[in-house]
Structures are given as C-alpha cells and as structure tokens.
C-alpha cells in the first residue's frame, strides 16, 4: 500500500461516515500527512515532556507516523463565535468528532493489517496528564514534526485547512515515505511577523499572549464551561470545551500564510 491509497481511504471514510453512523455531516474533507519514524521524534522529549511517548513505544518496529486532521464545516465554527461561552452545538460536535476519530483509528488499523502491515494508536483524548496539563502523545506536536501544520499563537496546529477541527494519529510498520503538507516555517500571522493577535483578544480569560498559553487559566475555563453549560444538558464530562480562539479567526478555515 502507498500513501495515496491511505489518503483516499480516509477521504472516503469521512464522506460516508454520517450516513453509516446516522450523524449530521459537520466535517469537511480530511487531510493527512506522514513521515518516517526517524530521529526527528526525539525532539518530542525536548519540546514537550521527557516522558512523552516515542513512535517505538507504540509500535516497536514502527516505520511511519501518520497524522490526520478533520476540519469542521464553517457553520459549526460560526455557531461557536457568538458570546463568551461555547455553543451546545460545539460541545456535541466535539464529542461526535472524538467518536469518529476513534473509529477512524480502529478502521485504519484494520485496513493496514489487511494490507499486511501492523499499526498502533492512542485514543483521540485520554492521554492527557491532568496534573502537568500535557499530552503524553500529542497529535499537535506530531503534526508539526511531520509537516501537517505549524503552531499558532492560539497554541493550535494551523494546517492548510485551518485550525478548527480535530486530529488523530497512528504508527505503522509500513514504509509510506515522507508526505508533508507544509514546508514553510510559520503559518500564524503573528509568528510570521505580520499583524493579527485576534485569538489573544478572543480569549475570555486572557489565557493567550504572544509568549504562549496559560494552561491553567484555559483548563479552568474549560471545566467551568462544562459545569455551566454541558453538564446540565446531559453531555459527558469529557465535553470540556471553549475554542473561542479557534473560530472566526483568519487561521480557522485555511492557513493565512503560504504552506510552501
Ligand atoms: S488568530 Fe492570528 S495570531 Fe492567532 S493563531 Fe490565528 S493567525 Fe496567529
Ligand atoms: S480555548 Fe478558550 S480559554 Fe482556552 S485559550 Fe482558547 S479562548 Fe482561551
């Protein structure tokens, strides 16, 4: 199997998903990138935490790291631009997308195994260390290292299809080569030396600055939003959402800077 076959499989999976699982179609066409599971991933321990997992921790003979991004449709994003609290539709979209990403991971693993390979994955969430507020398998950092996107001032990965969506990843022992979607250094306007900072102004708790994110302020806000809005509506505790810095931004639906 080559990378193009896997890429088309993902596009088809997402296109047929709403009908198959009786879900509302809230997603645009997915994008995917991959790279050899080489020494670049050793940087994960420098740029995140020393106990961040490496590809070999998931699959000992892993040869390729694959990361995909599922962008939300524009109307779902716009629903969440109103007011300082998240829309219920955003909370539901978050849950539905996590379910889909977990299903994509399992189905992609099965697809790879049918093609004679092996694959290993982690869930879309639940690899998060709450005490240190870090992910021990960060799809965003992986996406940065393989060229799916670049970090924005909003601490999200800006991809060619914007930053408003969800990500998943896996490691396989198939050799799928190097297929980045981004080769330039920056896709965020501020990081690229231009004027913006809209995400900083959009944050209701001032958790963002050009220097980075105050993770504690953000996390507390997500929990408050759950208790105030999502829990009373019967949504599960994992619906800790906000994303005001990811919707209605110049980087929400596409990259504001060239990707090559
Ligand atoms: S809103 Fe502007 S400053 Fe913030 S991440 Fe997007 S492009 Fe960068
Ligand atoms: S998710 Fe919300 S609280 Fe967190 S940084 Fe973005 S706007 Fe601020």
């Amino acid at each position: 199997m080559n990378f193009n076959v896997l890429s088309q499989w993902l596009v088809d999976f997402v296109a047929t998903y709403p009908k198959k699982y009786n879900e509302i179609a809230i997603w645009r066409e997915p994008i995917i990138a991959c790279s050899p599971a080489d020494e670049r991933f050793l940087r994960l321990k420098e740029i995140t935490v020393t106990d961040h997992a490496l590809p070999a921790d998931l699959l000992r003979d892993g040869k390729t790291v694959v990361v995909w991004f599922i962008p939300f449709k524009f109307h779902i994003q716009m629903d969440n631009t109103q007011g300082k609290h998240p829309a219920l539709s955003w909370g539901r979209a978050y849950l539905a997308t996590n379910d889909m990403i977990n299903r994509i991971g399992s189905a992609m693993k099965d697809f790879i195994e049918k093609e004679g390979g092996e694959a290993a994955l982690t869930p879309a969430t639940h690899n998060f260390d709450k005490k240190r507020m870090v992910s021990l398998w960060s799809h965003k950092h992986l996406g940065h290292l393989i060229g799916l996107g670049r970090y924005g001032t909003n601490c999200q990965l800006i991809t060619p299809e914007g930053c408003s969506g969800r990500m998943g990843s896996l490691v396989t022992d198939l050799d799928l080569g190097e297929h980045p979607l981004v080769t330039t250094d920056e896709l965020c306007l501020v990081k690229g030396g231009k004027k913006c900072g809209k995400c900083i102004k959009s944050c209701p708790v001032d958790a963002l600055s050009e220097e980075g994110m105050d993770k504690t302020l953000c996390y507390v806000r997500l929990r408050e939003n759950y208790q105030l809005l999502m829990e009373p509506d019967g949504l599960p505790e994992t619906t800790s959402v906000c994303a005001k810095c990811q919707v209605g931004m110049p980087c929400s639906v596409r990259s504001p800077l060239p990707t090559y």
Side-chain angles (χ1 to χ4, degrees):
M1 180 172 59
N2 64 36
F3 175 73
N4 289 340
V5 171
L6 190 66
S7 178
Q8 189 58 51
W9 175 91
L10 177 64
V11 169
D12 294 343
F13 188 97
V14 172
T16 55
Y17 185 90
K19 196 169 177 195
K20 189 169 175 188
Y21 290 96
N22 199 24
E23 288 280 358
I24 300 167
I26 55 171
W27 305 283
R28 291 186 285 135
E29 190 168 283
I31 54 174
I32 183 169
C34 75
S35 83
D38 54 21
E39 60 284 347
R40 84 188 73 185
F41 293 97
L42 295 174
R43 282 192 63 213
L44 285 167
K45 291 184 182 288
E46 290 165 30
I47 58 180
T48 61
V49 283
T50 52
D51 50 344
H52 191 290
L54 295 176
D57 296 326
L58 269 71
L59 189 64
R60 204 178 57 182
D61 297 322
K63 288 194 178 65
T64 306
V65 177
V66 180
V67 189
W68 59 89
F69 176 73
I70 317 286
F72 287 121
K73 280 189 173 171
F74 188 59
H75 72 90
I76 287 290
Q77 298 185 27
M78 291 316 286
D79 282 355
N80 200 41
T81 58
Q82 304 304 312
K84 293 194 177 302
H85 291 100
L88 276 175
S89 60
W90 185 263
R92 293 195 185 103
Y94 175 86
L95 289 176
T97 310
N98 282 346
D99 284 347
M100 180 169 75
I101 284 178
N102 289 334
R103 284 186 175 124
I104 288 172
S106 302
M108 193 183 282
K109 183 175 186 297
D110 290 347
F111 182 58
I112 286 171
E113 285 169 357
K114 274 190 199 127
E115 296 289 321
E118 272 189 64
L121 51 112
T122 62
T125 54
H126 305 296
N127 54 54
F128 186 68
D129 182 329
K130 283 185 187 165
K131 210 167 172 189
R132 290 178 294 167
M133 285 184 283
V134 292
S135 173
L136 301 178
W137 180 253
S138 164
H139 303 295
K140 282 189 276 189
H141 281 96
L142 294 167
H144 175 85
L145 290 175
I146 74 170
L148 178 66
R150 295 286 181 254
Y151 264 85
T153 299
N154 58 2
C155 294
Q156 301 304 310
L157 195 76
I158 302 175
T159 76
E161 297 299 322
C163 66
S164 188
R166 305 279 301 153
M167 302 173 68
S169 64
L170 61 66
V171 179
T172 173
D173 66 350
L174 296 181
D175 183 355
L176 299 177
E178 177 106 41
H179 295 275
L181 295 174
V182 176
T183 54
T184 47
D185 286 345
E186 302 294 352
L187 299 182
C188 165
L189 290 168
V190 163
K191 287 178 182 261
K194 303 199 181 299
K195 279 196 172 170
C196 183
K198 200 173 171 189
C199 54
I200 297 172
K201 292 191 201 98
S202 76
C203 180
V205 292
D206 295 326
L208 291 173
S209 70
E210 288 192 21
E211 283 67 54
M213 177 196 277
D214 184 322
K215 289 182 180 174
T216 304
L217 281 178
C218 178
Y219 185 72
V220 168
R221 179 65 170 191
L222 301 188
R223 295 306 301 155
E224 282 172 3
N225 286 343
Y226 167 68
Q227 283 155 5
L228 184 71
L229 294 155
M230 306 296 157
E231 188 178 27
D233 210 55
L235 299 185
E237 207 179 347
T238 48
T239 329
S240 294
V241 291
C242 170
K244 294 293 173 184
C245 56
Q246 297 153 43
V247 293
M249 300 292 131
C251 55
S252 293
V253 291
R254 66 185 68 83
S255 169
L257 292 176
T259 52
Y260 282 93

